[in-house]
Amino acid sequence: MTLLKTRDTDLLVALRAGKKVSIRKAALDLAISKSHLADIEAGNRQPSYDVGLRIATYYGVSLGALFEELPLEFGAPA
């Protein structure tokens, strides 16, 4: 399993604001919990590759623009 680290937490919040959706709506659209998305946006949690890909697709940006890959040893999967 690949983990992803958020490059810039402010960017995730700005993208969501630009899309004019609440964190609740974004989480629902992404099929994750609101608290999970809030933790990712705050940089407190690393998303799995799958969740990171869904986030990038949702905001219409590349995965690499939002996240950097981490070795599995970095920490427990999100």
Side-chain angles (χ1 to χ4, degrees):
M1 171 180 264
T2 300
L3 297 176
L4 302 171
K5 183 173 187 320
T6 305
R7 290 187 184 277
D8 180 357
T9 57
D10 292 336
L11 177 58
L12 287 175
V13 174
L15 286 169
R16 183 168 50 78
K19 197 170 174 90
K20 297 182 180 173
V21 294
S22 68
I23 193 165
R24 182 175 181 215
K25 171 72 169 128
L28 182 66
D29 292 345
L30 292 165
I32 60 176
S33 71
K34 179 181 151 188
S35 63
H36 188 163
L37 182 56
D39 284 345
I40 292 169
E41 286 185 354
N44 297 328
R45 197 166 181 185
Q46 293 83 36
S48 65
Y49 183 85
D50 178 56
V51 171
L53 188 58
R54 282 187 286 178
I55 292 170
T57 301
Y58 184 71
Y59 292 125
V61 297
S62 72
L63 186 66
L66 296 179
F67 303 102
E68 59 183 285
E69 290 188 30
L70 296 172
L72 187 56
E73 304 83 50
F74 179 80

